[in-house]
DNA sequence: CCTTCGAGTCGAAACGCTTCGACGGGCGGT
DNA sequence: ACCGCCCGTCGAAGCGTTTCGACTCGAAGG
């Protein structure tokens, strides 16, 4: 293994000088800098991560806590993780993957052992057991999603309230008066998952403001559940003309169920979804949708964390505005 | 921060004794052991990961290299990653997430800097640029998938050749004589992805052995591509009665396209898929399928790595046998 | 009864890096 | 011409573990 002393000897300087070239924490003459860099390159030197962490009490690793719970859409999570990983690298950090298998102890473990410098916590619940723990840990963290009590924590997410509102707004503009939200499986609501509840809240509030009739129904992502949900919905609300679907895997199933129930899309029923564009573009009828900007959330989350690590102050809450893309699944009421 | 000297003092022993209690590398009297463990517990001691890595030249972290390429099914990857993470923890290791963004340099970086002890490399191509590099690295590694030249490397995967054969076998048993394989998008074949090619090889060989007519066609996971592929297939092979689909996102699209082309499943056409059970059970007609045992692959991969790290010898190749689950999408030929 | 051995413990030397204080030499200000 | 400063560099002291010999017992073996 080539170490800093080897680099130093070859460049004719002391190890500390090499270190300063690497970190830029003291000024170094251009000539020395060049020699040291050449030496590093020629020897293929890489600082030993452990030694560095020990001496500097900075590991340059951040933990990504992915619960991998049921009922959440995996591709979105993955897109997010990918963005976190590549953005972290851009800031010279690596990413340690933590699943919820370990629970809160896992967080404490990596924090106490100084394995990581900071935490990114995904899939935050409204009453999340990890949140009080995060408050006590000496490490900076960023949450994806908002717990009920978010004060003092740095959180970021798509603005799901505005998302719900924006979907309703779109339908309202097209003249729809009776709308429904078909959401995540019941377990997701039961867990108190913020994004599900916020979408529902925004949806309901906007519908009420617009004087529209509205319902919210959870839905399992199975063919049978989709059919049953649709039947119940149409039975209870015969004048329904618009739905918002916030449940990726169920979206195609629900659309099919509506069509089999005799509702043509968009002639009889307008559909808006909260889902990735890729999915929205590949359903039987391309779906008007609001995408979750997973990549942007991931990037910004890392950015926030870096700011905190570097002592810069950051906003407590970052809400990304929804962007609705109209497609073929929505049309003015009565256009059939 | 509480350190090993604190623990030692409180237990009335030397730091080295604490270390030996922790590692079990020397025998310690039961009494001492108890006192040390109590001390650890009471102080909430966690060894500093960096210091440990420096002194022992073992970081207890392994790298998971996930390319995040296009055309591969994300949920399966994720299931795999989850299994790796939890299994690694069971062996007292953590997992560092590496995307392909960094390319081969990323591998070299984490290896040279001693950030990780070992590598798990996913989505291996037949001619993979990372493979020669892995040979030169001093770190043990396990590949998920098989490159063209696998000698000297430890690889594990579902036996895709047998999978292709098994699907054909199932169709043959039902009396089908003209079959097709609808596979991954062309880009996946173009990259020389082992699993795609092996399934095709097994499929074709088994069909030939059985005296069946067979075709292999790639397919993009879009509605339009699915329709076009199906039309072409039915035009070129009017006597087609069985298909194997090895392309998760395209599966529902293809089934729909077949039905719209007038082929009822399973009366006119039997369909076998290579996909997760969850997907197979939620298509319009539940699909006979071979699932990719992602969790098992992940677990075994970590197991192999641990064996290598501990100097145990391991088999070069591990091929998991396919398990075909019959469902409603396959029936004897001419049963309609 | 003396030697030998192993079990149990300790002290000290790494491990490879960062960082702090110090130092020499050139420069500008007076 | 002198003082004080800042720039660039160095040496040495850590950072918290692990691990290697060495040491002390008490027990087993001759």
């Amino acid at each position: 293994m080539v170490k800093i002393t080897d680099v130093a000897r070859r460049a004719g300087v002391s190890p500390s000088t090499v270190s300063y070239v690497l970190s830029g924490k003291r000024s170094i003459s251009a000539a020395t800098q060049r020699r040291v860099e050449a030496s590093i390159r020629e020897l293929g030197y890489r600082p030993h991560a452990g030694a560095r962490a020990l001496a500097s009490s900075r590991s340059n690793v951040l933990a990504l806590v992915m619960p991998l719970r049921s009922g959440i859409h995996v591709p979105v999570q993955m897109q997010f993780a990918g963005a976190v990983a590549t953005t972290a690298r851009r800031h010279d950090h690596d990413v340690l993957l933590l699943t919820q298998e370990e629970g809160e102890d896992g967080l404490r473990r990596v924090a106490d052992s100084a394995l990581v410098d900071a935490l990114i916590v995904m899939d935050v619940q409204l009453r999340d057991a990890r949140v009080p723990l995060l408050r006590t840990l000496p490490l900076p963290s960023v949450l994806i999603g908002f717990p009920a009590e978010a004060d003092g924590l740095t959180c970021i997410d798509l603005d799901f309230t505005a998302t719900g509102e924006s979907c309703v707004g779109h339908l309202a503009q097209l003249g729809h008066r009776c709308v429904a939200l078909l959401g995540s499986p019941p377990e997701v609501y039961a867990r108190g998952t913020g994004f599900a509840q916020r979408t529902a809240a925004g949806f309901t509030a906007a519908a009420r403001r617009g004087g529209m009739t509205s319902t919210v129904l959870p839905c399992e992502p199975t063919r049978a559940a989709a059919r049953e949900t649709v039947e119940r919905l149409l039975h209870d609300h015969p004048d329904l003309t618009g739905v918002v679907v916030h449940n990726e895997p169920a979206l195609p199933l629900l659309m099919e169920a509506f069509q089999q129930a005799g509702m043509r899309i968009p002639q009889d029923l307008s559909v808006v979804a909260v889902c990735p564009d890729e999915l929205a573009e590949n359903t039987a009828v391309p779906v008007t949708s609001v995408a979750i900007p997973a990549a942007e959330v991931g990037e910004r989350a890392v950015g926030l964390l870096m700011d905190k690590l570097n002592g810069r102050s950051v906003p407590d809450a970052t809400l990304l505005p929804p962007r609705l893309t109209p497609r073929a699944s929505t049309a003015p009421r009565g256009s059939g």
Side-chain angles (χ1 to χ4, degrees), chain A:
Chain A
M1 178 189 203
V2 32
K3 37 196 181 190
I4 201 170
T5 50
D6 302 329
V7 175
R9 193 169 332 113
R10 181 176 237 271
V13 299
S14 78
S16 51
T17 300
V18 175
S19 178
Y20 286 124
V21 168
L22 249 22
S23 70
K25 294 195 178 173
R26 285 200 183 174
S27 53
I28 297 287
S29 71
T32 306
Q33 175 142 349
R34 263 197 309 282
R35 265 180 308 142
V36 169
E37 275 161 0
S39 174
I40 289 178
R41 207 169 330 105
E42 290 156 14
L43 295 176
Y45 168 68
R46 305 274 177 136
H48 185 289
R52 193 178 261 236
L54 178 57
S56 67
S57 39
R58 285 283 228 119
S59 68
N60 274 37
V61 173
L62 42 86
L64 177 61
V65 189
M66 292 186 84
L68 298 179
R69 291 186 231 261
S70 66
I72 46 135
H73 191 56
V74 178
V76 172
Q77 299 257 85
M78 203 61 204
Q79 216 183 320
F80 175 78
V84 166
T86 70
T87 311
R89 279 307 307 146
R90 214 172 299 133
H91 292 274
D92 196 34
H93 279 246
D94 276 286
V95 172
L96 198 81
L97 189 62
L98 248 51
T99 63
Q100 194 59 347
E101 192 89 356
E102 293 199 75
E104 296 99 67
D105 286 346
L107 296 191
R108 220 190 312 264
R109 183 176 61 82
V110 296
D112 287 353
S113 64
L115 232 189
V116 307
D117 293 337
L119 304 165
I120 294 189
V121 180
M122 297 179 61
D123 192 14
V124 174
Q125 314 292 309
L126 282 177
R127 309 177 38 89
D128 198 307
R130 298 168 298 179
V131 164
L133 174 57
L134 288 176
R135 287 212 161 80
T136 74
L137 289 182
L139 275 63
S141 52
V142 169
L143 316 201
I144 311 304
F146 288 74
E149 311 275 317
D151 45 290
L153 297 170
T154 308
C155 305
I156 180 171
D157 210 346
L158 171 63
D159 187 339
F160 281 101
T161 308
T163 301
E165 290 169 353
S166 145
C167 293
V168 170
H170 179 72
L171 292 173
Q173 221 175 312
L174 293 169
H176 299 276
R177 311 297 307 152
C178 175
V179 296
L181 171 67
L182 297 171
S184 301
E187 69 206 82
V188 174
Y189 288 94
R191 281 203 302 259
T193 301
F195 75 80
Q197 305 220 344
R198 282 171 219 280
T199 305
F203 172 88
T204 305
R208 174 151 14 86
R209 277 201 301 276
M212 306 159 77
T213 314
S214 78
T215 330
V216 175
L217 241 51
C219 183
E220 294 280 358
T222 66
R223 189 160 294 269
R227 172 154 327 189
E228 192 190 327
T229 303
V230 163
E231 272 167 15
R232 180 141 65 93
L233 188 61
L234 293 179
H235 175 269
D236 292 352
H237 303 273
D239 50 346
L240 183 84
T241 62
V243 299
V244 176
V245 178
H246 186 187
N247 183 334
E248 291 91 346
L251 176 62
L253 306 176
L254 287 166
M255 289 180 68
E256 191 185 316
F258 276 117
Q259 283 173 316
Q260 294 197 346
M263 304 286 284
R264 292 166 304 161
I265 299 172
Q267 295 90 337
D268 308 318
L269 184 76
S270 282
V271 177
V272 184
V274 181
C275 73
D277 290 331
E278 195 190 321
L279 175 56
E281 284 162 3
N282 274 294
T283 41
V285 178
V287 180
T288 296
S289 71
V290 173
I292 298 176
E296 190 186 350
V297 173
E299 243 173 78
R300 307 258 308 242
V302 172
L304 288 167
L305 218 37
M306 292 300 146
D307 284 349
K308 291 179 95 168
L309 278 174
N310 296 319
R312 290 189 282 272
S313 77
V314 302
D316 276 7
T318 307
L319 284 171
L320 303 180
R323 240 179 25 79
L324 185 143
T325 306
R327 295 201 181 80
S329 69
T330 48
R333 178 161 71 120
S335 61

